[in-house]
Amino acid sequence: MRIVKWTLGAMAALLAAAALAAAIYGWRSFPALDGEIKAPGLKAAVQVRRDASDVTHIEAQSVADAYFALGYVHAQERSWQLEFNRRVMHGRLSEVFGTATLETDRTLRKLGIVRAAQAQWDKLPPEAQDLGKAYANGINAFHATSSQALPPEFHILGVKPGEWTPQDSMGWALMMALDLGGNWGSEFARFSLLQRLSTEQLWQLMPPYPGTAPATQVDLAALYRGLGAYRTGSDGKTAAAPAASQLADLQEWTRGLGHTEGIGSNNWVIAGPRTQSGKPLVANDPHLGLSAPAIWYFARLTAPAAPGGKPLDVVGATLPGLPSVVLGRTAGVAWGFTNTGPDVQDLYLEQVNPDNPKQYRTPQGWADFQAREEVIRIKGQPDERLVVRSTRHGPVVSDANPAYDAVLDARKFVLALRWSALDADNTTVLAGMRANFAQSVDELRAAFAAYHSPMQNMVAADTQGRTAYQAIGRVPLRDAANDLRGAAPAPGWDARYDWTGWLAVGDNPRAEHEAITAKGWHATANERIHPAGYPHFITSDWEPPYRFDRIEALLGATPRHTAQSLRDVHADTLSLATKAVLPVLQATASTHPLAPAALEQLKGFDGNMRAESAAPLIVAYWADELTRQLVVPKVGEARFKALYGKRSFRKGLEVMLLDPKAGAFWCGAAGCAEASSRALAGALDRISSAYGKDVAQWRWGAAHAAKSAHRPFSNVGALAQFFDVAVPTPGDPWTVNVGQYWANQEKMPFANRHAASLRAVYDLSDLEKSQFIYQTGQSGLVFSDRYRDMKDEWAQVKYRPLQLKPAAWAHSATLLP
């Protein structure tokens, strides 16, 4: 008995010691928010204070020190996020995660993000390079000198922070452009589908923008089949992907590159005559993939003017990895972005020389591929030596790519990518730095004249009452003889498909103050941003105008706007896309035992995707079932699986149900009513299996929780419950309060994965009344109570003050040289 008691006592002591060690580690991993902190590399002391909104205020004696301190704070709060993102852009994830991330590493190495970043860095003016170095020095100084324990991700994975270089900041700007700025994936999707569909059927499944014809009148199916571009016998089936228990979401991201559907945002500026205060209002909610920690970190940077310069005083959303406020305000001007989505990516079919596979065809004859070797280190495996080939258009993206191998006859052709953001004259980082000094709309426009990629719709207003809209960034010009217009891969040996120059900045779409005042507002939501008579081609892949039309209606319905009325627009969850197909579902006959109760829920449903309602759940499952039933038999299971998910085919489904000619093909002899009945039965089976058979208890919010996913632990069950951040939400991919889901996911197919990454409202009558919110919290440390403290406010569309001069401080620290 004494031995048993002794053993139990020893075990209890060990457990207590382990608990104490864990508590000490947790305490040591918290950042120092108060007191004095040594930060070698500073030229003078910097005040770092947090206000009641948890916005970090950095007050320095020079702009360089302000940038240094921002880097230090980013590392202090988001060190794992920085390390993971650095490995992504360098293509060095497989060193840690093995073959699960090999596809991502290959893709980033082929694109040459780091090489392009270096070339762009070399062209920055010296003063911008100095600031980029200061920011990187701040990150590295924290890792070199701080006694703060590393976050648990480093210990669990056995990783140490790598050096952050100023070129990495250039690279991270390119990664944002990669996430937002192109349609190469849409081009390949069309190419793949045309292996099974006619050109007419393709435009039914992927219809053009409402009221317009397809971008090209070329018979694409005949073009590619005539060239013999398709691999025979594959039917779109890809090789099995490596197991990716920790990085499934990263594989989804990689395979969705160059895909524009659902990538969007909302913004609008209200002219003074349409507000109660008489001064403008600005609202913004950029839509991005939800992550934990969030992509944003809110901070204020202030420093006195250097000789011949301007003082710095700006507050808003920063991106860890970039040395400036991306979205926000100064004391004089506020601005917001949405993604323009211009066609700045073209795929080219490059014909391989049958007598010499090291050559490809050009307008002048055969030319050698440029080639370099990239060594990818793989945990637990031998290194991979990847040969990266390039043509006169850009990197060959079809090499070592299972999705492309399944469709393209690689013996005859490869696919190369022309992407504007990789060009050495990309000065987006410089534009971001300059914008932080602007105090008026005119100064802001002048700063963003250097902006390159990804093109953004900027709305802005200043305290003098001036308003503006302008698309900022670069758009390529295409030859009048280019009959494909970037809609699908072009024959690379035909010079008429080459870009011919760049649209002049002055020709970018814009709206001046007078026009905005006359209308009362200007809004964008990724719709076609120019009138029908606009003389230049920007893209054919605009987002359908569901959100834009709803915003226009809401803004027009209020005679005088306030911050509260703008909040109500942010919160709106009426889905015009759902309303378009709802009558078909409401008229559906079904013998399913749950159908009477389900159809009763739908009787009074108006398309408002409320979290507490059952009807949105029924619509979402039914639309998913119906899309699968109609599309899979026509394109094949493997091809559908490769293309469906982030791409919803919802606009195509609308065409199939409402256009009799299209419906005859897609629904078949039995008709669309019968297909809808089968889809409803399948939907009710799936819903009842997941949520029970009491239809009255079904709730959309239970299926549509916003999931801010941690990388890499979101897919590790034991860890996801701690590292992920989730909260029930309303909306769908087409509501103003957006909530995009990926219905191809086996687990949580309707989880909200891509939504308002932040919301902000700026009141130009008193910019200290400005407000913001985002979906997690400022801290990237999972143990911190600041890791997820904004999620409920975000879900309820509430805000926190965004001030330059808060009334009090929650924390106050000083960084010392």
Side-chain angles (χ1 to χ4, degrees), residues 465-528:
R466 301 288 294 177
T467 58
Y469 158 72
Q470 184 170 335
I472 57 172
R474 300 284 291 278
V475 179
L477 295 174
R478 293 171 172 84
D479 194 282
N482 183 340
D483 53 2
L484 293 177
R485 291 163 67 89
W493 57 91
D494 191 332
R496 63 180 161 152
Y497 298 118
D498 293 346
W499 296 354
T500 60
W502 302 97
L503 185 64
V505 171
D507 290 333
N508 283 358
R510 63 174 59 206
E512 302 297 343
H513 172 71
E514 292 74 18
I516 295 172
T517 301
K519 180 181 177 181
W521 70 88
H522 190 92
T524 78
N526 320 108
E527 81 292 353
R528 188 180 69 179

Side-chain angles (χ1 to χ4, degrees), residues 430-614:
L430 175 63
M433 292 177 178
R434 289 175 174 173
N436 286 187
F437 294 89
Q439 294 295 331
S440 69
V441 163
D442 289 342
E443 289 181 1
L444 195 66
R445 275 180 156 171
F448 281 126
Y451 191 94
H452 191 291
S453 302
M455 192 178 207
Q456 299 290 289
N457 297 314
M458 180 190 73
V459 297
D462 60 31
T463 52
Q464 300 305 306
R466 301 288 294 177
T467 58
Y469 158 72
Q470 184 170 335
I472 57 172
R474 300 284 291 278
V475 179
L477 295 174
R478 293 171 172 84
D479 194 282
N482 183 340
D483 53 2
L484 293 177
R485 291 163 67 89
W493 57 91
D494 191 332
R496 63 180 161 152
Y497 298 118
D498 293 346
W499 296 354
T500 60
W502 302 97
L503 185 64
V505 171
D507 290 333
N508 283 358
R510 63 174 59 206
E512 302 297 343
H513 172 71
E514 292 74 18
I516 295 172
T517 301
K519 180 181 177 181
W521 70 88
H522 190 92
T524 78
N526 320 108
E527 81 292 353
R528 188 180 69 179
I529 56 170
H530 58 71
Y534 181 72
H536 306 290
F537 176 78
I538 292 181
T539 186
S540 60
D541 287 320
W542 306 106
E543 277 289 289
Y546 299 120
R547 283 181 288 110
F548 174 73
D549 289 346
R550 181 60 179 162
I551 292 169
E552 288 283 294
L554 291 169
L555 295 181
T558 301
R560 293 287 186 273
H561 281 281
T562 64
Q564 178 61 39
S565 70
L566 268 56
R567 177 266 170 206
D568 293 342
V569 180
H570 270 161
D572 189 76
T573 54
L574 183 70
S575 173
L576 299 185
T578 293
K579 289 188 72 172
V581 298
L582 185 58
V584 176
L585 175 56
Q586 291 171 326
T588 297
S590 175
T591 59
H592 193 283
L594 297 180
L599 292 170
E600 184 64 29
Q601 290 286 335
L602 294 167
K603 270 186 181 178
F605 182 51
D606 61 357
N608 200 322
M609 307 297 280
R610 298 181 180 90
E612 66 274 13
S613 173

Side-chain angles (χ1 to χ4, degrees), residues 396-442:
V396 173
V397 293
S398 56
D399 284 348
N401 188 320
Y404 287 52
D405 289 342
V407 178
L408 181 70
D409 189 341
R411 299 168 302 172
K412 299 178 182 178
F413 299 97
V414 297
L415 284 167
L417 174 67
R418 176 72 174 100
W419 178 29
S420 63
L422 294 176
D423 291 0
D425 65 351
N426 184 345
T427 53
T428 294
V429 171
L430 175 63
M433 292 177 178
R434 289 175 174 173
N436 286 187
F437 294 89
Q439 294 295 331
S440 69
V441 163
D442 289 342

Side-chain angles (χ1 to χ4, degrees), residues 1 82 206 305 388 406 471 564 589 599 699:
M1 182 61 67
L82 286 168
M206 298 180 70
V388 177
Q564 178 61 39
L599 292 170
R699 297 291 182 267

